[in-house]
């Protein structure tokens, strides 16, 4: 089978985006929890190619920041002091992909730090935190979706295949879960687990909670597919030849559900990343000092930050390309895998 | 009528199930409201035990469930530890604030989506339609959280609208018109966030449903009869396209209480969302249970209303359920 173009396009886009986040150590110039207490709330430092005299430089540079006269938190660019960007510089140590130790960063600088998105209250580089935060948020989304889909697959297959009272019971419970407002359920479940835990524990807690909440919809979809697959001729034939239940399920029925599961994954992952963001934003998720896309934004809950340090908002926009990628992927998967289900003009698809 | 009662019975069972589920979740949790007091050396362990006994926290689960159910039937809906009062009055005030916000937002969103979706469907595939598609796609990929925070940052920096809370500090001293104006100004920002996050999906659904109908042969026939464009679109096409839209509308109604949680928290609107969050953090369990139950009730009744509307609007469903 050949890939149709839109699907491949979205896969490439998503692949690149994820690669950047997975290799955060390389692309981020600094350690995400390294503090610089002398420089809190630095504004973003734009990169320049033209200097104040109008000369063109081939190496991008930023201007160092200095405090404006008579203020304590207003910075301005010091055009007399340029900080050239150095590529493939060695800096803080990190482990690429979790195991390859390395010190090489895509860029860095000699004297002053280049903070593309500014710094937070402790002078930590927001750009580095954004990249590292993506690892946590995206992984939470992926694992959470994995959890949900496996629960949904098991429940849906059991309900659809065995039928009878088991089907009735499971589907009643699924209905119950569908009736609960999703975010409320997420909160209620999270609420009654320990509140203050270490980042790692909190991460797995979040994944479990997010993963456990949304199983009902995929379960219903899987059940539908299994119900129709069960009655297909080749399945009946296999049964007639004496195939066991487990063989039938493994060999003939569950493969039929793969297209539903793939599409659901593309829909669920961004939704779950957003769920992690929401929980962390509200202080119910991954705690400091570990960065996540949610807790990067949580200091925006303070009025003073909102008023004076608007660039703390910039990480919120990091989600947009990922959302775009996943939305595109979901709609082209839907078109490709379930063409019979789609009306000609699907409202969920892009353009 | 039988159809209606069957759905109603179903909804009641669902609510009952949800109440048990919510109760289980909340009471299986470690810790309770009085645990914080352990840190205070001035409170004797006996006092805490007495408090727990007073609020029945030491009783077995079924007993607590029955006594809570009893209090629900008496219109009190349990007791809030943090507010030291029955939950119902606290909840109703907050729910009223939330509904004020969400009903406005839903009306505005549908008021924009219907004409815009029809307008776009009429020009299907042409430039204006494609532009609108791109605009809705752009809105669709901005996550709710980013949208709400972005609006907040923008407003705080420009000072166009008041932010936070529902009213100004001097609300009590304003005249009636002034009160109305003050409230409207405070509502603008959260309503805008809600409308913008809900709009793209609505427009897309309206457009898809109407575009599907516009291709039908009977529309061509109707046009051939010389029926004016506006009548054609809104009286004929929209009515045939109503089926999926009614389900969607039911969903809008269902989400009235629960859909605005994030926006309320971000914009500090004193609705159900912040109350729920507060009570989660302080383990005020009956407030949490009632909050979840209350919004579930809305979700279920939204579906119920959609079913009834469908029954009323779509003859196919009527015959189908009569045959059953």
């Amino acid at each position: 089978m050949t890939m149709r173009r839109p699907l491949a396009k979205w896969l490439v886009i998503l692949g690149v985006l994820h690669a950047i986040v997975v290799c955060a150590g390389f692309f981020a110039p600094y350690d995400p929890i390294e503090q610089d207490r002398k420089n809190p709330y630095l504004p973003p430092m734009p990169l320049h190619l033209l200097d104040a005299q109008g000369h063109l430089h081939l190496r991008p540079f930023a201007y160092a920041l200095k405090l404006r006269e008579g203020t304590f938190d207003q910075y301005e660019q010091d055009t007399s002091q340029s900080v050239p960007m150095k590529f493939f510089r060695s800096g803080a140590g990190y482990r690429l992909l979790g195991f390859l130790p390395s010190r090489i960063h895509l860029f860095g600088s000699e004297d002053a730090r280049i903070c593309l998105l500014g710094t937070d209250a402790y002078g930590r580089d927001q750009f580095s935190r954004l990249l590292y935060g993506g690892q946590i948020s995206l992984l939470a989304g992926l694992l959470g979706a994995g959890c949900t889909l496996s629960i949904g697959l098991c429940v849906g297959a059991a309900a659809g295949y065995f039928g009878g009272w088991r089907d009735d019971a499971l589907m009643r419970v699924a209905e119950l879960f569908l009736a609960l407002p999703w975010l409320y359920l997420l909160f209620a479940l999270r609420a009654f687990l320990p509140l203050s835990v270490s980042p790692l524990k909190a991460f797995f807690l979040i994944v479990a909670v997010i993963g456990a909440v949304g199983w009902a919809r995929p379960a219903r979809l899987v059940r539908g597919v299994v119900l129709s697959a069960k009655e297909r001729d080749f399945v009946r034939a296999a049964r007639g030849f004496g195939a066991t239940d487990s063989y039938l399920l493994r060999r003939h029925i569950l493969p039929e559900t793969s297209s539903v599961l793939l599409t659901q994954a593309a829909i669920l992952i961004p939704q779950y990343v957003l769920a992690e963001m929401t929980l962390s934003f509200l202080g119910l998720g991954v705690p400091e000092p570990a960065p996540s896309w949610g807790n990067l934004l949580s200091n925006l809950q303070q009025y003073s930050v909102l008023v004076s340090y608007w660039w703390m908002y910039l990480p919120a926009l990091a989600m947009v390309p990922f959302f775009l990628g996943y939305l595109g992927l979901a709609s082209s998967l839907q078109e490709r895998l379930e063409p019979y289900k789609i009306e000609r003009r699907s409202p969920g698809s892009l353009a | 009528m039988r159809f209606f009662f069957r759905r109603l019975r179903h909804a009641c069972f669902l609510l009952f199930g949800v109440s048990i589920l919510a109760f289980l979740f909340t009471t299986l949790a470690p810790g309770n409201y009085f645990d914080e007091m352990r840190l205070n050396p001035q409170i004797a362990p006996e006092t805490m035990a007495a408090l727990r006994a007073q609020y029945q926290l030491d009783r077995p689960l079924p007993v607590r469930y029955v006594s809570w159910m009893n209090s629900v039937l008496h219109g009190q809906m349990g007791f809030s530890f943090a507010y030291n009062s029955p939950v119902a009055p606290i909840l109703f005030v907050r729910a009223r604030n939330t509904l004020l916000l969400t009903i406005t937002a839903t009306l505005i969103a549908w008021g924009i989506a219907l004409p815009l979706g029809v307008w776009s469907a009429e020009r299907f595939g042409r430039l204006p339609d494609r532009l609108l598609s791109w605009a809705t796609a752009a809105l669709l990929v901005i996550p709710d959280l980013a949208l709400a925070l972005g609006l907040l940052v923008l407003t705080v920096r420009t000072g166009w609208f008041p932010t936070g809370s529902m009213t100004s500090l001097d609300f009590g001293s304003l005249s009636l018109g002034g009160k109305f104006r003050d409230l409207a100004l405070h509502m603008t920002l959260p309503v805008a966030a809600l409308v913008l996050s809900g709009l793209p999906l609505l427009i897309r659904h309206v457009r898809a449903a109407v575009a599907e109908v516009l291709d039908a042969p009977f529309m061509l026939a109707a046009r051939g009869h010389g029926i004016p464009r506006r009548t054609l679109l809104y009286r004929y096409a929209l009515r045939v396209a109503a089926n999926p839209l009614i389900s969607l509308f039911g969903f809008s109604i269902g989400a009235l209480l629960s859909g605005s949680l994030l926006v309320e928290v971000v914009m500090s609107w004193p609705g159900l969302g912040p109350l729920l969050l507060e009570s989660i953090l302080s383990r005020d369990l009956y407030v949490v249970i009632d909050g979840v139950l209350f919004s579930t009730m809305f979700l279920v009744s939204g579906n119920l209303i959609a079913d009834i509307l469908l029954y009323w609007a779509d003859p196919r469903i009527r015959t189908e359920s009569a045959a059953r």
Side-chain angles (χ1 to χ4, degrees):
Chain A
M1 272 210 279
T2 52
M3 284 252 177
R4 259 205 278 156
R5 219 172 53 79
L7 186 58
K9 179 181 80 183
W10 293 118
L11 279 176
V12 168
I13 290 177
L14 276 177
V16 171
L17 285 173
H18 282 80
I20 292 176
V21 168
V22 167
C23 304
F26 172 68
F27 290 100
Y30 308 107
D31 191 293
I33 56 178
E34 176 197 335
Q35 302 187 353
D36 180 8
R37 295 283 182 111
K38 285 199 208 87
N39 289 315
Y41 291 125
L42 284 185
M45 298 164 78
L47 292 174
H48 301 268
L49 284 175
L50 281 175
D51 64 15
Q53 283 79 45
H55 296 305
L56 181 71
H57 295 252
L58 283 181
R59 183 181 289 284
F61 64 93
Y63 285 120
L65 295 168
K66 63 174 184 205
L67 272 179
R68 194 170 290 157
E69 290 290 314
T71 65
F72 62 92
D73 66 344
Q74 304 279 310
Y75 295 89
E76 59 186 8
Q77 292 189 352
D78 181 0
T79 45
S80 64
Q81 195 190 346
S82 68
V83 186
M85 204 176 195
K86 296 281 164 65
F87 291 98
F88 300 106
R89 248 182 72 87
S90 114
Y94 62 91
R95 286 174 182 277
L96 196 62
L97 305 175
F99 61 91
L100 285 172
S102 165
R103 305 189 71 86
I104 304 294
H105 295 262
L106 176 64
F107 68 90
S109 57
E110 236 116 60
D111 18 61
R113 302 209 299 173
I114 297 182
C115 302
L116 289 179
L117 295 180
T119 62
D120 68 3
Y122 302 103
R124 297 177 293 199
D125 179 36
Q126 282 284 87
F127 183 66
S128 305
R129 285 181 74 72
L130 178 67
L131 289 181
Y132 276 100
Q135 291 186 330
I136 290 181
S137 295
L138 288 176
L139 193 62
L142 284 169
L143 289 182
C147 272
T148 295
L149 290 180
S150 12
I151 301 176
L153 181 64
C154 291
V155 173
Y161 189 77
F162 295 112
W165 63 270
R166 275 169 283 202
D167 184 22
D168 278 342
L170 286 174
M171 284 305 110
R172 284 297 95 75
V173 180
E175 233 163 76
L176 213 69
F177 269 79
L178 279 179
L180 280 164
W182 191 73
L183 207 54
Y184 274 43
L185 184 61
L186 194 67
F187 274 32
L189 211 58
R190 175 66 185 93
F192 296 101
L193 296 166
L195 282 178
S196 30
V197 286
S198 72
L200 193 68
K201 246 187 175 169
F203 174 76
F204 284 110
L205 212 63
I206 295 293
V207 167
V209 169
I210 295 177
V213 163
W215 60 271
R217 196 171 300 278
R220 290 239 286 216
L221 292 173
V222 167
R223 171 178 170 271
V225 173
V226 170
L227 272 183
S228 76
K230 200 169 70 167
E231 302 301 324
R232 301 277 284 276
D233 287 339
F234 64 89
V235 176
R236 291 178 164 209
R239 196 200 303 276
F241 285 127
T244 59
D245 283 347
S246 71
Y247 176 85
L248 274 181
L249 271 175
R250 197 178 67 236
R251 192 62 203 270
H252 291 309
I253 295 184
L254 292 189
E256 295 276 305
T257 63
S258 62
S259 61
V260 169
L261 289 181
L262 271 179
T263 327
Q264 279 293 305
I267 294 170
L268 285 178
I269 291 170
Q271 202 182 336
Y272 283 7
V273 172
L274 194 59
E276 187 280 332
M277 275 175 79
T278 309
L279 283 175
S280 298
F281 172 74
L282 298 173
L284 293 169
V286 181
E288 297 263 345
S292 98
W293 281 349
N295 70 22
L296 274 181
L297 297 174
S298 63
N299 56 6
L300 279 175
Q301 283 171 329
Q302 299 164 29
Y303 188 72
S304 58
V305 175
L306 272 179
V307 177
S308 319
Y309 317 115
W310 61 268
W311 55 91
M312 302 303 286
Y313 170 71
L314 290 177
L317 299 178
M319 274 303 290
V320 173
F322 286 88
F323 260 56
L324 185 67
Y326 275 112
L327 205 66
L329 183 69
S331 62
S332 52
L333 269 177
Q334 240 160 12
E335 250 169 59
R336 185 177 169 71
L337 298 175
E338 308 167 39
Y340 49 92
K341 266 199 183 160
I342 294 289
E343 309 110 83
R344 231 159 356 108
R345 290 138 191 172
S346 160
S349 65
L350 279 176
Chain B
M1 220 46 203
R2 269 199 31 229
F3 169 80
F4 175 69
F5 278 120
R6 203 171 55 222
R7 302 294 317 187
L8 197 63
R9 207 179 56 211
H10 189 78
C12 287
F13 272 119
L14 211 58
L15 271 181
F16 185 65
V18 166
S19 78
I20 291 182
L21 203 67
F23 220 81
L24 270 180
F25 276 147
T26 46
T27 43
L28 285 178
N32 61 48
Y33 184 74
F34 302 107
D35 277 358
E36 292 283 305
M37 292 182 186
R38 267 189 318 202
L39 300 174
N40 188 342
Q42 286 182 325
I43 300 175
E46 296 82 50
T47 319
M48 276 169 50
L51 274 173
R52 270 204 292 275
Q54 188 189 340
Y55 292 111
Q56 297 194 336
L57 287 175
D58 54 348
R59 307 285 285 279
L61 199 59
V63 177
R64 274 154 66 186
Y65 183 75
V66 169
S67 79
W68 171 74
M69 209 43 164
N70 190 22
S71 125
V72 169
L73 294 178
H74 284 89
Q76 297 200 326
M77 308 182 77
F79 197 84
S80 161
F81 310 130
Y83 288 83
N84 197 23
S85 92
V87 178
I90 310 168
L91 208 64
F92 287 151
V93 173
R94 295 300 194 106
R96 191 201 63 195
N97 295 347
T98 296
L99 286 180
L100 182 67
L101 196 66
T102 48
I103 290 179
T104 318
T106 308
L107 286 180
I108 294 179
W110 277 91
I112 298 175
L114 273 182
L116 214 56
V118 172
W119 180 82
S120 175
E122 202 195 353
R123 288 156 186 75
F124 192 90
R126 282 191 274 149
L127 189 64
D129 173 56
R130 281 222 297 271
L131 284 180
L132 190 70
S133 285
W134 277 108
T136 53
L139 265 181
L140 205 60
V141 296
I142 300 179
D144 306 2
L145 184 63
L147 191 67
L149 276 176
L151 280 179
L152 195 62
V153 171
L154 194 72
T155 328
V156 164
R157 285 188 64 78
T158 56
W160 287 334
F161 294 103
T163 51
S165 183
M166 221 172 113
T167 51
S168 301
L169 287 175
D170 57 349
F171 187 71
S173 62
L174 292 172
S175 64
L176 193 65
K179 275 184 179 169
F180 184 76
R181 189 171 167 275
D182 187 52
L183 194 61
L185 277 179
H186 277 85
M187 271 171 69
T188 311
L189 198 56
V191 164
L194 284 174
V195 168
L196 283 180
S197 62
L199 201 56
L201 218 57
L202 288 187
I203 294 183
R204 277 160 176 258
H205 275 102
V206 173
R207 168 174 172 268
V210 174
E212 195 80 28
V213 174
L214 285 183
D215 279 352
F218 66 82
M219 286 309 291
L220 198 63
R223 193 172 305 171
H225 274 84
I227 297 172
R229 199 196 73 130
R230 189 173 292 268
T231 325
L232 198 71
L233 282 177
Y234 286 92
R235 288 279 289 282
Y236 289 67
L238 202 57
R239 182 174 287 188
V240 182
N243 195 323
L245 300 185
I246 287 177
S247 305
L248 197 64
F249 184 65
F251 189 74
S252 294
I253 295 178
L256 278 181
L257 267 189
S258 52
S260 60
L261 191 149
L262 195 61
V263 169
E264 282 174 21
V265 174
V266 170
M267 314 258 179
S268 47
W269 179 266
L272 211 53
L275 177 73
L276 193 83
L277 200 66
E278 265 167 44
S279 47
I280 281 175
L281 290 172
S282 65
R283 301 226 181 279
D284 198 354
L285 61 104
Y286 290 112
V287 180
V288 179
I289 296 174
D290 289 341
V292 170
L293 206 64
F294 219 55
S295 43
T296 310
M297 207 166 76
F298 258 76
L299 214 64
V300 172
S301 45
N303 287 340
L304 195 67
I305 292 174
D307 280 342
I308 295 167
L309 279 178
L310 272 180
Y311 188 81
W312 169 75
D314 197 335
R316 282 167 297 186
I317 291 175
R318 249 172 309 195
T319 45
E320 204 175 278
S321 66
R324 235 192 290 170

